[in-house]
Amino acid sequence: MPKLIAFVDGSVYSESVLDHAAWVATTIGASVDVVHVIGRRDVSSAPVDLSGNLEAGAHSALLNDLAAHDEQRAKLARDRGRLIVDTARSRLLTAGVGEVHAKLRMGDIVDAVHELEADADLVLIGKRGEAADFAKLHLGSNLERVARTSRKPVLVASRAFKPVNRFLIAFDGGESIMKAVNHIAAGTLFPGLACTMIMVGKETPENRGKLESSAGTLRNAGYAVDALIEPGEPDKVIAAHAEADHIDLLVMGAYGHSRVRSFIIGSTTTEMIRSVRIPVMLFR
């Protein structure tokens, strides 16, 4: 059975992560591991050098108070985390997902990715996290770290889920996007969805050949594909098509040296993911 890993933190984006997970899981028959990671900052006070500032007795009493405070914070964080994953599990079961596991992890989300993704098929994370309402122009701090770390496709959930009927592939001919094309052609998530492939660059025989070859892979798998080559800046061209063509999901390669892929992870890529209001599936 395929397996998904859905990272949740209790933010409004967590609801979208779960809705996207439900869509994928019920479509391909996957189980879901719902994971909440309790960070070190959530359970311990910031270290402070108190040497020389307090009498010995006061110093000891303060350390004891801080230890008790940290212990209480840790308990509250665990209770809150358990509530988050249990609520998420109930939501997915209600949505029709057959098998859901609720998991709490302490430490760093990157460590959790390393631990859990070996037998997973897809990792899901929100575009933004708990601070979304206070930093609407910034992506979640864990998004880039997870996208850089994971060896599996990463689905970046937008603020709210809506049914996926059309998807756009930002094609650059690189290894990552070829992996995405083959994954889509052989998989069970995308059949029946309308597909647009866009290559940003010059209309040359070489570019057209690469694009049509990959489009042919999808057409042979039963997809109706519009294959376009357009000049311009990748982020602007892709974002414009996503908006004008009512695209519901953007598929892109996550790493590489081409101009398109350089937009995924990095300052300009951050702008790209931030600017589109649809989920983005990243392939490495």
Side-chain angles (χ1 to χ4, degrees), residues 45-105:
S45 302
V48 178
D49 183 4
L50 302 174
S51 59
N53 295 322
L54 296 172
E55 297 290 338
H59 181 272
S60 178
L62 179 56
L63 289 179
N64 289 336
D65 288 345
L66 288 173
H69 175 70
D70 287 349
E71 183 177 352
Q72 180 64 16
R73 286 184 64 190
K75 179 181 182 304
L76 291 174
R78 288 194 298 271
D79 291 347
R80 177 177 178 273
R82 177 52 59 187
L83 179 62
I84 288 173
V85 293
D86 287 346
T87 301
R89 180 174 183 274
S90 296
R91 185 182 180 117
L92 289 175
L93 291 173
T94 300
V97 180
E99 184 176 336
V100 185
H101 305 282
K103 298 183 177 181
L104 274 182
R105 290 293 184 271

Side-chain angles (χ1 to χ4, degrees), residues 155-222:
L155 177 56
V156 182
S158 52
R159 186 179 180 88
F161 173 81
K162 70 173 186 176
V164 178
N165 297 308
R166 300 179 62 85
F167 67 100
L168 185 155
I169 299 175
F171 184 83
D172 65 358
E175 181 179 353
S176 296
I177 202 62
M178 297 304 298
K179 183 177 180 181
V181 169
N182 292 328
H183 180 96
I184 292 169
T188 57
L189 179 61
F190 291 86
L193 306 182
C195 175
T196 299
M197 298 181 69
I198 297 179
M199 187 173 194
V200 179
K202 295 182 179 179
E203 176 72 56
T204 65
E206 181 182 6
N207 284 343
R208 177 55 66 178
K210 290 181 179 178
L211 181 63
E212 289 299 333
S213 177
S214 293
T217 298
L218 294 177
R219 288 170 181 142
N220 290 337

Side-chain angles (χ1 to χ4, degrees), residues 107-159:
D108 193 282
I109 192 170
V110 169
D111 294 333
V113 171
H114 285 309
E115 176 193 349
L116 299 170
E117 75 164 0
D119 60 344
D121 297 89
L122 180 68
V123 176
L124 297 98
I125 188 170
K127 181 184 289 188
R128 299 184 177 93
E130 291 178 293
D133 292 338
F134 303 97
K136 294 181 179 179
L137 296 179
H138 299 281
L139 299 178
S141 59
N142 288 322
L143 167 58
E144 181 177 337
R145 299 175 66 232
V146 170
R148 283 184 177 277
T149 299
S150 178
R151 308 301 300 180
K152 302 301 174 68
V154 175
L155 177 56
V156 182
S158 52
R159 186 179 180 88

